[in-house]
Amino acid sequence: MALCFFGAACTETYQTATTSLTQPTEFALSCRTEIDGSSFEASPLAGCFDEEATGDNHLMAFVANGYSGSVGIIDLTVDQAIDTSLGTPGINGIFLDGGYAADLLASSDGNRLWVTDSRLRRIVEISPLELEITGEIPITDLAGQALVPGAMRLSPDEKKLIVQVSAPHGFIVLDVDSTGVVADSATLISLDELNDNRAEPSMVPSDFAIFPDSERLVVGYLDHNIISVINLDSGTLEQNVAVDIAGELAPNALVTVTPDSRFIYLAHRGASELLVFENTEETGWKMLGLNSSEEQSNDEILAFHGIWGIPIPSLILDLLA
């Protein structure tokens, strides 16, 4: 598999691994500033997109490769894959020693990178500056159960790390202090327990998003025609909202919240429409109807899918088989 970044057309392709088992699962961006040709300091991500910024900024791409258990590293500024493999032929990157790199994300200040390892059930901490593993957080020790971590999100205020888990299906919420250190304890939110264990099949999330206030979470499901709004601080269910599509089962795919927290957009599999939900004081959340995705402008889509509020229209990830 390879990673391709392009604007109007694909211009550079980077080989992240040669093994057929490699599966890129996610990528994250970070920015660092070169100091003296051999050392770097962390920089806010916005600095790598500021044309007036001074200093030698390097935009870094970190690519999670699932089955190979590695994180590929690409310096996009100089168009070069960075070899930290210590002589391992064919693969550039950081290895998780038998793990499965399910997801990864970076802090906006460029100091921290986190990877969920679903095989060894842990969160791995990586330094984007030193390009090495700096620590790990065993998930089982955090919640007291044999949880399997998957997708994760960092809250907009960067004070909470939310990790989707299975067995049981739900989320763990970890506090992050001002220096980026993740707490050694977590709150477990079980989706089945929130719904009084009444749902069959189990409540398996398809996607989730954090509200701009960093206090709430919205979840879409694979096998249920609802979305759930959950309070992250109390771990309680605020509202289940019906996804009404003429009584048909509509497995949810992607969910996002607008910057003003007024609307939730939900894409469901097998259809070309976006479902729109509005929050009002009188009724709470309710479904308004359908929006054709073909009518959504690029600016509208980027407003929801930018990186920490920074739309990047020229940067697109294409996974090539």
Side-chain angles (χ1 to χ4, degrees):
M1 293 248 182
L3 182 70
C4 178
F5 291 91
F6 61 97
C10 184
T11 57
E12 296 289 346
T13 300
Y14 304 89
Q15 191 71 22
T16 58
T18 57
T19 171
S20 61
L21 293 178
T22 296
Q23 175 188 344
T25 49
E26 186 58 276
F27 82 104
L29 299 177
S30 185
C31 186
R32 63 180 188 169
T33 301
E34 188 173 347
I35 303 302
D36 55 11
S38 60
S39 61
F40 296 85
E41 66 179 17
S43 296
L45 183 60
C48 276
F49 297 93
D50 185 356
E51 296 179 355
E52 298 180 358
T54 59
D56 192 1
N57 291 334
H58 288 248
L59 179 63
M60 309 295 292
F62 296 86
V63 186
N65 294 294
Y67 287 107
S68 70
S70 66
V71 177
I73 307 168
I74 302 167
D75 188 330
L76 296 175
T77 300
V78 298
D79 294 340
Q80 180 181 0
I82 295 179
D83 186 3
T84 63
S85 59
L86 302 178
T88 302
I91 302 179
N92 298 319
I94 297 171
F95 288 87
L96 304 184
D97 296 326
Y100 180 96
D103 197 7
L104 85 169
L105 54 82
S107 61
S108 62
D109 62 7
N111 278 308
R112 299 278 174 156
L113 184 77
W114 296 280
V115 183
T116 48
D117 180 349
S118 59
R119 182 175 292 134
L120 301 182
R121 300 183 179 185
R122 59 180 177 163
I123 299 172
V124 178
E125 297 178 327
I126 294 175
S127 168
L129 296 179
E130 304 299 330
L131 303 181
E132 63 183 13
I133 294 175
T134 56
E136 65 175 67
I137 306 169
I139 295 298
T140 301
D141 293 348
L142 285 172
Q145 299 187 51
L147 304 173
V148 179
M152 62 180 164
R153 306 282 188 271
L154 190 62
S155 61
D157 62 7
E158 302 202 5
K159 294 182 179 180
K160 297 184 183 74
L161 188 64
I162 297 93
V163 183
Q164 181 180 334
V165 295
S166 57
H169 295 292
F171 303 91
I172 56 172
V173 182
L174 303 97
D175 292 329
V176 182
D177 69 16
S178 59
T179 64
V181 176
V182 178
D184 58 1
S185 60
T187 301
L188 173 63
I189 300 175
S190 169
L191 294 172
D192 288 322
E193 289 183 4
L194 287 184
N195 289 277
D196 299 323
N197 296 302
R198 292 176 298 180
E200 289 292 342
S202 183
M203 308 290 288
V204 181
S206 61
D207 191 29
F208 65 101
I210 313 299
F211 279 77
D213 61 10
S214 299
E215 296 177 356
R216 292 171 294 161
L217 175 79
V218 58
V219 187
Y221 297 98
L222 288 177
D223 297 302
H224 296 278
N225 278 17
I226 61 171
I227 59 174
S228 298
V229 178
I230 298 169
N231 187 293
L232 288 172
D233 292 327
S234 63
T236 57
L237 177 67
E238 290 191 356
Q239 187 178 353
N240 278 337
V241 189
V243 179
D244 185 9
I245 315 175
E248 298 180 2
L249 177 63
N252 301 330
L254 301 173
V255 63
T256 190
V257 184
T258 56
D260 60 2
S261 298
R262 181 181 174 186
F263 297 100
I264 293 173
Y265 280 74
L266 175 71
H268 63 93
R269 301 181 189 277
S272 60
E273 293 85 17
L274 290 175
L275 307 183
V276 186
F277 301 81
E278 184 181 21
N279 187 22
T280 64
E281 294 183 0
E282 295 79 12
T283 62
W285 288 99
K286 66 176 182 179
M287 181 174 165
L288 293 182
L290 304 177
N291 258 12
S292 171
S293 59
E294 297 176 354
E295 297 176 359
Q296 297 291 309
S297 69
N298 287 335
D299 289 342
E300 288 176 313
I301 294 173
L302 286 170
F304 303 143
H305 295 89
I307 300 178
W308 288 288
I310 307 170
I312 308 176
S314 63
L315 182 62
I316 301 175
L317 177 69
D318 186 23
L319 301 178
L320 304 176

mmCIF file of all heavy atoms in Angstrom, residues 49-88:
data_model
loop_
_atom_site.group_PDB
_atom_site.id
_atom_site.type_symbol
_atom_site.label_atom_id
_atom_site.label_comp_id
_atom_site.label_asym_id
_atom_site.label_seq_id
_atom_site.Cartn_x
_atom_site.Cartn_y
_atom_site.Cartn_z
ATOM 1 N N PHE A 49 1.072 26.158 7.764
ATOM 2 C CA PHE A 49 0.201 26.643 6.692
ATOM 3 C C PHE A 49 0.173 28.167 6.637
ATOM 4 O O PHE A 49 -0.602 28.748 5.888
ATOM 5 C CB PHE A 49 -1.219 26.102 6.881
ATOM 6 C CG PHE A 49 -1.312 24.613 6.792
ATOM 7 C CD1 PHE A 49 -1.230 23.830 7.935
ATOM 8 C CD2 PHE A 49 -1.433 23.986 5.572
ATOM 9 C CE1 PHE A 49 -1.299 22.452 7.863
ATOM 10 C CE2 PHE A 49 -1.505 22.602 5.477
ATOM 11 C CZ PHE A 49 -1.429 21.834 6.632
ATOM 12 N N ASP A 50 1.025 28.807 7.440
ATOM 13 C CA ASP A 50 1.093 30.264 7.486
ATOM 14 C C ASP A 50 2.196 30.738 6.554
ATOM 15 O O ASP A 50 3.383 30.503 6.803
ATOM 16 C CB ASP A 50 1.360 30.728 8.919
ATOM 17 C CG ASP A 50 1.310 32.246 9.057
ATOM 18 O OD1 ASP A 50 1.148 32.940 8.026
ATOM 19 O OD2 ASP A 50 1.437 32.735 10.188
ATOM 20 N N GLU A 51 1.816 31.398 5.465
ATOM 21 C CA GLU A 51 2.793 31.846 4.482
ATOM 22 C C GLU A 51 3.728 32.917 5.040
ATOM 23 O O GLU A 51 4.822 33.127 4.514
ATOM 24 C CB GLU A 51 2.078 32.384 3.236
ATOM 25 C CG GLU A 51 1.260 31.322 2.497
ATOM 26 C CD GLU A 51 0.557 31.884 1.285
ATOM 27 O OE1 GLU A 51 0.630 33.122 1.087
ATOM 28 O OE2 GLU A 51 -0.052 31.102 0.538
ATOM 29 N N GLU A 52 3.319 33.598 6.105
ATOM 30 C CA GLU A 52 4.147 34.655 6.669
ATOM 31 C C GLU A 52 4.987 34.168 7.848
ATOM 32 O O GLU A 52 5.728 34.947 8.454
ATOM 33 C CB GLU A 52 3.262 35.818 7.129
ATOM 34 C CG GLU A 52 2.473 36.459 5.993
ATOM 35 C CD GLU A 52 1.613 37.610 6.468
ATOM 36 O OE1 GLU A 52 1.599 37.872 7.693
ATOM 37 O OE2 GLU A 52 0.962 38.243 5.618
ATOM 38 N N ALA A 53 4.885 32.893 8.183
ATOM 39 C CA ALA A 53 5.636 32.367 9.319
ATOM 40 C C ALA A 53 7.125 32.357 9.020
ATOM 41 O O ALA A 53 7.555 32.116 7.881
ATOM 42 C CB ALA A 53 5.163 30.960 9.656
ATOM 43 N N THR A 54 7.920 32.645 10.029
ATOM 44 C CA THR A 54 9.368 32.598 9.885
ATOM 45 C C THR A 54 9.894 31.278 10.435
ATOM 46 O O THR A 54 9.237 30.601 11.206
ATOM 47 C CB THR A 54 10.024 33.767 10.645
ATOM 48 O OG1 THR A 54 9.671 33.672 12.036
ATOM 49 C CG2 THR A 54 9.552 35.097 10.089
ATOM 50 N N GLY A 55 11.109 30.935 10.024
ATOM 51 C CA GLY A 55 11.685 29.681 10.492
ATOM 52 C C GLY A 55 11.504 28.570 9.483
ATOM 53 O O GLY A 55 10.732 28.678 8.524
ATOM 54 N N ASP A 56 12.223 27.500 9.680
ATOM 55 C CA ASP A 56 12.210 26.364 8.774
ATOM 56 C C ASP A 56 11.222 25.330 9.290
ATOM 57 O O ASP A 56 11.586 24.393 10.001
ATOM 58 C CB ASP A 56 13.620 25.778 8.671
ATOM 59 C CG ASP A 56 13.744 24.778 7.531
ATOM 60 O OD1 ASP A 56 12.737 24.562 6.821
ATOM 61 O OD2 ASP A 56 14.829 24.201 7.365
ATOM 62 N N ASN A 57 9.945 25.501 8.939
ATOM 63 C CA ASN A 57 8.899 24.599 9.409
ATOM 64 C C ASN A 57 8.804 23.368 8.511
ATOM 65 O O ASN A 57 8.890 23.466 7.286
ATOM 66 C CB ASN A 57 7.549 25.311 9.442
ATOM 67 C CG ASN A 57 7.482 26.368 10.523
ATOM 68 O OD1 ASN A 57 8.187 26.279 11.527
ATOM 69 N ND2 ASN A 57 6.644 27.373 10.331
ATOM 70 N N HIS A 58 8.604 22.223 9.142
ATOM 71 C CA HIS A 58 8.449 20.970 8.413
ATOM 72 C C HIS A 58 7.083 20.377 8.741
ATOM 73 O O HIS A 58 6.771 20.122 9.905
ATOM 74 C CB HIS A 58 9.546 19.975 8.806
ATOM 75 C CG HIS A 58 10.898 20.319 8.292
ATOM 76 N ND1 HIS A 58 11.563 19.580 7.337
ATOM 77 C CD2 HIS A 58 11.720 21.362 8.595
ATOM 78 C CE1 HIS A 58 12.734 20.131 7.084
ATOM 79 N NE2 HIS A 58 12.858 21.207 7.837
ATOM 80 N N LEU A 59 6.267 20.153 7.702
ATOM 81 C CA LEU A 59 4.975 19.502 7.868
ATOM 82 C C LEU A 59 5.186 17.997 7.816
ATOM 83 O O LEU A 59 5.680 17.454 6.827
ATOM 84 C CB LEU A 59 4.004 19.932 6.768
ATOM 85 C CG LEU A 59 2.604 19.307 6.806
ATOM 86 C CD1 LEU A 59 1.878 19.702 8.077
ATOM 87 C CD2 LEU A 59 1.795 19.728 5.575
ATOM 88 N N MET A 60 4.817 17.324 8.914
ATOM 89 C CA MET A 60 5.051 15.888 9.042
ATOM 90 C C MET A 60 3.737 15.116 8.936
ATOM 91 O O MET A 60 2.722 15.527 9.513
ATOM 92 C CB MET A 60 5.709 15.580 10.387
ATOM 93 C CG MET A 60 6.939 16.424 10.708
ATOM 94 S SD MET A 60 8.298 16.121 9.566
ATOM 95 C CE MET A 60 8.715 14.425 10.023
ATOM 96 N N ALA A 61 3.761 14.014 8.203
ATOM 97 C CA ALA A 61 2.611 13.110 8.128
ATOM 98 C C ALA A 61 2.982 11.807 8.819
ATOM 99 O O ALA A 61 4.040 11.224 8.540
ATOM 100 C CB ALA A 61 2.221 12.844 6.679
ATOM 101 N N PHE A 62 2.126 11.362 9.730
ATOM 102 C CA PHE A 62 2.303 10.094 10.431
ATOM 103 C C PHE A 62 1.182 9.164 9.974
ATOM 104 O O PHE A 62 0.004 9.520 10.073
ATOM 105 C CB PHE A 62 2.265 10.300 11.938
ATOM 106 C CG PHE A 62 3.393 11.150 12.454
ATOM 107 C CD1 PHE A 62 3.293 12.530 12.470
ATOM 108 C CD2 PHE A 62 4.568 10.565 12.911
ATOM 109 C CE1 PHE A 62 4.333 13.320 12.936
ATOM 110 C CE2 PHE A 62 5.613 11.340 13.379
ATOM 111 C CZ PHE A 62 5.499 12.724 13.393
ATOM 112 N N VAL A 63 1.547 7.991 9.485
ATOM 113 C CA VAL A 63 0.582 7.068 8.886
ATOM 114 C C VAL A 63 0.532 5.773 9.689
ATOM 115 O O VAL A 63 1.550 5.081 9.832
ATOM 116 C CB VAL A 63 0.951 6.756 7.420
ATOM 117 C CG1 VAL A 63 -0.155 5.911 6.772
ATOM 118 C CG2 VAL A 63 1.189 8.033 6.637
ATOM 119 N N ALA A 64 -0.640 5.455 10.235
ATOM 120 C CA ALA A 64 -0.809 4.199 10.967
ATOM 121 C C ALA A 64 -0.991 3.063 9.976
ATOM 122 O O ALA A 64 -1.882 3.093 9.131
ATOM 123 C CB ALA A 64 -2.017 4.288 11.901
ATOM 124 N N ASN A 65 -0.128 2.060 10.059
ATOM 125 C CA ASN A 65 -0.232 0.852 9.233
ATOM 126 C C ASN A 65 -0.698 -0.287 10.125
ATOM 127 O O ASN A 65 0.033 -0.736 11.012
ATOM 128 C CB ASN A 65 1.125 0.512 8.614
ATOM 129 C CG ASN A 65 1.570 1.568 7.627
ATOM 130 O OD1 ASN A 65 0.947 1.755 6.591
ATOM 131 N ND2 ASN A 65 2.647 2.270 7.948
ATOM 132 N N GLY A 66 -1.930 -0.740 9.891
ATOM 133 C CA GLY A 66 -2.574 -1.664 10.804
ATOM 134 C C GLY A 66 -1.829 -2.950 11.060
ATOM 135 O O GLY A 66 -1.241 -3.155 12.122
ATOM 136 N N TYR A 67 -1.833 -3.868 10.079
ATOM 137 C CA TYR A 67 -1.332 -5.214 10.324
ATOM 138 C C TYR A 67 0.172 -5.250 10.556
ATOM 139 O O TYR A 67 0.671 -6.116 11.280
ATOM 140 C CB TYR A 67 -1.709 -6.142 9.167
ATOM 141 C CG TYR A 67 -3.167 -6.500 9.152
ATOM 142 C CD1 TYR A 67 -4.023 -5.961 8.200
ATOM 143 C CD2 TYR A 67 -3.696 -7.350 10.111
ATOM 144 C CE1 TYR A 67 -5.373 -6.274 8.199
ATOM 145 C CE2 TYR A 67 -5.045 -7.670 10.119
ATOM 146 C CZ TYR A 67 -5.880 -7.128 9.149
ATOM 147 O OH TYR A 67 -7.212 -7.428 9.161
ATOM 148 N N SER A 68 0.920 -4.334 9.969
ATOM 149 C CA SER A 68 2.367 -4.338 10.188
ATOM 150 C C SER A 68 2.721 -3.743 11.543
ATOM 151 O O SER A 68 3.868 -3.837 11.981
ATOM 152 C CB SER A 68 3.082 -3.553 9.083
ATOM 153 O OG SER A 68 2.814 -2.166 9.189
ATOM 154 N N GLY A 69 1.741 -3.123 12.214
ATOM 155 C CA GLY A 69 1.999 -2.571 13.533
ATOM 156 C C GLY A 69 3.054 -1.489 13.520
ATOM 157 O O GLY A 69 3.935 -1.456 14.374
ATOM 158 N N SER A 70 2.971 -0.588 12.555
ATOM 159 C CA SER A 70 3.976 0.455 12.427
ATOM 160 C C SER A 70 3.319 1.799 12.162
ATOM 161 O O SER A 70 2.152 1.886 11.783
ATOM 162 C CB SER A 70 4.963 0.124 11.299
ATOM 163 O OG SER A 70 4.302 0.140 10.040
ATOM 164 N N VAL A 71 4.098 2.850 12.364
ATOM 165 C CA VAL A 71 3.681 4.215 12.043
ATOM 166 C C VAL A 71 4.685 4.780 11.055
ATOM 167 O O VAL A 71 5.854 5.014 11.398
ATOM 168 C CB VAL A 71 3.613 5.101 13.297
ATOM 169 C CG1 VAL A 71 3.239 6.538 12.918
ATOM 170 C CG2 VAL A 71 2.615 4.542 14.294
ATOM 171 N N GLY A 72 4.255 4.955 9.809
ATOM 172 C CA GLY A 72 5.121 5.541 8.803
ATOM 173 C C GLY A 72 5.254 7.038 9.008
ATOM 174 O O GLY A 72 4.328 7.698 9.480
ATOM 175 N N ILE A 73 6.413 7.591 8.650
ATOM 176 C CA ILE A 73 6.685 9.013 8.863
ATOM 177 C C ILE A 73 7.150 9.629 7.554
ATOM 178 O O ILE A 73 8.081 9.131 6.918
ATOM 179 C CB ILE A 73 7.769 9.216 9.936
ATOM 180 C CG1 ILE A 73 7.402 8.461 11.219
ATOM 181 C CG2 ILE A 73 7.959 10.700 10.224
ATOM 182 C CD1 ILE A 73 8.539 8.372 12.205
ATOM 183 N N ILE A 74 6.496 10.719 7.160
ATOM 184 C CA ILE A 74 6.841 11.396 5.915
ATOM 185 C C ILE A 74 7.023 12.880 6.202
ATOM 186 O O ILE A 74 6.147 13.520 6.788
ATOM 187 C CB ILE A 74 5.750 11.219 4.842
ATOM 188 C CG1 ILE A 74 5.502 9.735 4.560
ATOM 189 C CG2 ILE A 74 6.127 11.951 3.563
ATOM 190 C CD1 ILE A 74 4.255 9.474 3.759
ATOM 191 N N ASP A 75 8.170 13.424 5.811
ATOM 192 C CA ASP A 75 8.396 14.870 5.874
ATOM 193 C C ASP A 75 7.883 15.448 4.564
ATOM 194 O O ASP A 75 8.541 15.361 3.525
ATOM 195 C CB ASP A 75 9.886 15.165 6.069
ATOM 196 C CG ASP A 75 10.155 16.643 6.334
ATOM 197 O OD1 ASP A 75 9.376 17.484 5.837
ATOM 198 O OD2 ASP A 75 11.140 16.959 7.028
ATOM 199 N N LEU A 76 6.686 16.027 4.590
ATOM 200 C CA LEU A 76 6.058 16.531 3.371
ATOM 201 C C LEU A 76 6.755 17.769 2.838
ATOM 202 O O LEU A 76 6.663 18.075 1.643
ATOM 203 C CB LEU A 76 4.580 16.834 3.640
ATOM 204 C CG LEU A 76 3.708 15.636 4.004
ATOM 205 C CD1 LEU A 76 2.299 16.095 4.362
ATOM 206 C CD2 LEU A 76 3.648 14.629 2.869
ATOM 207 N N THR A 77 7.460 18.487 3.690
ATOM 208 C CA THR A 77 8.139 19.705 3.256
ATOM 209 C C THR A 77 9.290 19.390 2.308
ATOM 210 O O THR A 77 9.527 20.110 1.339
ATOM 211 C CB THR A 77 8.660 20.489 4.475
ATOM 212 O OG1 THR A 77 7.549 20.826 5.309
ATOM 213 C CG2 THR A 77 9.371 21.770 4.048
ATOM 214 N N VAL A 78 9.999 18.309 2.566
ATOM 215 C CA VAL A 78 11.133 17.933 1.717
ATOM 216 C C VAL A 78 10.823 16.688 0.885
ATOM 217 O O VAL A 78 11.722 16.153 0.222
ATOM 218 C CB VAL A 78 12.408 17.700 2.560
ATOM 219 C CG1 VAL A 78 12.798 18.972 3.266
ATOM 220 C CG2 VAL A 78 12.198 16.575 3.570
ATOM 221 N N ASP A 79 9.547 16.243 0.919
ATOM 222 C CA ASP A 79 9.121 15.086 0.116
ATOM 223 C C ASP A 79 9.999 13.864 0.390
ATOM 224 O O ASP A 79 10.575 13.269 -0.512
ATOM 225 C CB ASP A 79 9.150 15.414 -1.378
ATOM 226 C CG ASP A 79 8.126 16.469 -1.751
ATOM 227 O OD1 ASP A 79 7.186 16.658 -0.968
ATOM 228 O OD2 ASP A 79 8.278 17.107 -2.811
ATOM 229 N N GLN A 80 10.080 13.470 1.654
ATOM 230 C CA GLN A 80 10.960 12.370 1.997
ATOM 231 C C GLN A 80 10.364 11.524 3.112
ATOM 232 O O GLN A 80 9.902 12.058 4.128
ATOM 233 C CB GLN A 80 12.331 12.901 2.441
ATOM 234 C CG GLN A 80 13.326 11.823 2.818
ATOM 235 C CD GLN A 80 14.647 12.399 3.265
ATOM 236 O OE1 GLN A 80 14.829 13.603 3.301
ATOM 237 N NE2 GLN A 80 15.584 11.533 3.598
ATOM 238 N N ALA A 81 10.358 10.202 2.911
ATOM 239 C CA ALA A 81 9.988 9.288 3.981
ATOM 240 C C ALA A 81 11.176 9.146 4.920
ATOM 241 O O ALA A 81 12.317 9.006 4.480
ATOM 242 C CB ALA A 81 9.602 7.928 3.404
ATOM 243 N N ILE A 82 10.919 9.203 6.220
ATOM 244 C CA ILE A 82 11.988 9.158 7.213
ATOM 245 C C ILE A 82 12.176 7.727 7.693
ATOM 246 O O ILE A 82 11.219 7.064 8.111
ATOM 247 C CB ILE A 82 11.668 10.087 8.392
ATOM 248 C CG1 ILE A 82 11.657 11.543 7.892
ATOM 249 C CG2 ILE A 82 12.689 9.926 9.510
ATOM 250 C CD1 ILE A 82 11.325 12.544 8.954
ATOM 251 N N ASP A 83 13.402 7.249 7.638
ATOM 252 C CA ASP A 83 13.714 5.879 8.011
ATOM 253 C C ASP A 83 14.143 5.832 9.477
ATOM 254 O O ASP A 83 15.204 6.318 9.843
ATOM 255 C CB ASP A 83 14.823 5.326 7.119
ATOM 256 C CG ASP A 83 15.091 3.849 7.376
ATOM 257 O OD1 ASP A 83 14.364 3.261 8.200
ATOM 258 O OD2 ASP A 83 15.999 3.296 6.747
ATOM 259 N N THR A 84 13.286 5.264 10.323
ATOM 260 C CA THR A 84 13.643 5.043 11.724
ATOM 261 C C THR A 84 13.593 3.559 12.045
ATOM 262 O O THR A 84 13.462 3.162 13.188
ATOM 263 C CB THR A 84 12.682 5.793 12.659
ATOM 264 O OG1 THR A 84 11.371 5.259 12.467
ATOM 265 C CG2 THR A 84 12.670 7.269 12.380
ATOM 266 N N SER A 85 13.678 2.742 10.998
ATOM 267 C CA SER A 85 13.428 1.306 11.157
ATOM 268 C C SER A 85 14.642 0.519 11.631
ATOM 269 O O SER A 85 14.569 -0.691 11.782
ATOM 270 C CB SER A 85 12.940 0.714 9.834
ATOM 271 O OG SER A 85 13.911 0.935 8.819
ATOM 272 N N LEU A 86 15.760 1.185 11.846
ATOM 273 C CA LEU A 86 16.956 0.541 12.393
ATOM 274 C C LEU A 86 17.368 -0.674 11.567
ATOM 275 O O LEU A 86 17.697 -1.736 12.092
ATOM 276 C CB LEU A 86 16.728 0.138 13.861
ATOM 277 C CG LEU A 86 16.355 1.282 14.807
ATOM 278 C CD1 LEU A 86 16.109 0.747 16.203
ATOM 279 C CD2 LEU A 86 17.468 2.329 14.830
ATOM 280 N N GLY A 87 17.327 -0.498 10.239
ATOM 281 C CA GLY A 87 17.835 -1.540 9.363
ATOM 282 C C GLY A 87 16.800 -2.528 8.876
ATOM 283 O O GLY A 87 17.136 -3.413 8.091
ATOM 284 N N THR A 88 15.556 -2.432 9.323
ATOM 285 C CA THR A 88 14.526 -3.340 8.825
ATOM 286 C C THR A 88 14.238 -3.015 7.368
ATOM 287 O O THR A 88 13.843 -1.896 7.047
ATOM 288 C CB THR A 88 13.229 -3.212 9.636
ATOM 289 O OG1 THR A 88 13.526 -3.481 11.009
ATOM 290 C CG2 THR A 88 12.185 -4.188 9.137
#
